[in-house]
Amino acid sequence: MTEEQLMNQEGNIRISDDVVATIAGLAALETPGIAAMSGGLSEGWAKRLSGKNVQKGVSVEVGHLETAIDLRIVVLYGMPIHEVCRQLQLTVREAVQNMTGLTVVEVNIKVEGVAFKDEELDEIQRVVR
């Protein structure tokens, strides 16, 4: 289903997948230890072929009252990955549930890389030379 439909006495409320993906992506980037979202090869092709604005590193499945979220991320070097990911799950779940009223049944995370802060990268390159 491409849109969420909530029924009430006043009418229907529809929340698009893109809205849920945007909320999840913004919440993810606000989480300490997250360097970036990671866009995969298939996502790049989908964007080129469909012209649709696919959210980088975020995919969602929206049901009648629930949603599942998949995130692909890059973590800052030196951060405890398991703790960053746990906090990310909590932050994204809270943001999506508070803003949409949907129940988030799962937040799946795939860590696709580790990034250095610019200063650390400069220091590593200086030491290696």
Side-chain angles (χ1 to χ4, degrees):
M1 175 178 257
T2 60
E3 293 183 337
E4 171 58 27
Q5 184 174 353
L6 302 173
M7 298 176 68
N8 60 33
Q9 293 177 353
E10 290 79 31
N12 297 327
I13 300 170
R14 295 180 184 180
I15 302 172
S16 92
D17 291 1
D18 288 343
V19 170
V20 174
T22 298
I23 293 167
L26 291 172
L29 290 174
E30 292 175 358
T31 304
I34 302 298
M37 303 302 291
S38 175
L41 179 62
S42 62
E43 201 171 84
W45 279 108
K47 187 173 185 178
R48 285 189 204 115
L49 295 175
S50 70
K52 185 176 179 181
N53 184 16
V54 179
Q55 303 299 322
K56 183 178 179 183
V58 181
S59 59
V60 299
E61 285 184 41
V62 181
H64 292 287
L65 299 173
E66 302 174 331
T67 186
I69 301 167
D70 294 323
L71 303 170
R72 293 181 312 280
I73 62 167
V74 177
V75 177
L76 285 172
Y77 178 78
M79 300 295 291
I81 294 173
H82 63 287
E83 291 176 17
V84 170
C85 290
R86 181 67 185 133
Q87 183 59 50
L88 176 58
Q89 288 174 317
L90 295 172
T91 301
V92 168
R93 179 182 310 273
E94 183 177 292
V96 171
Q97 287 183 168
N98 287 342
M99 293 183 73
T100 66
L102 297 170
T103 300
V104 177
V105 293
E106 61 186 13
V107 178
N108 301 308
I109 300 170
K110 181 176 182 186
V111 179
E112 292 191 338
V114 177
F116 294 97
K117 294 179 184 173
D118 290 336
E119 313 85 56
E120 292 174 353
L121 187 56
D122 291 341
E123 180 65 21
I124 290 169
Q125 289 173 345
R126 186 182 63 75
V127 170
V128 170
R129 291 181 193 160

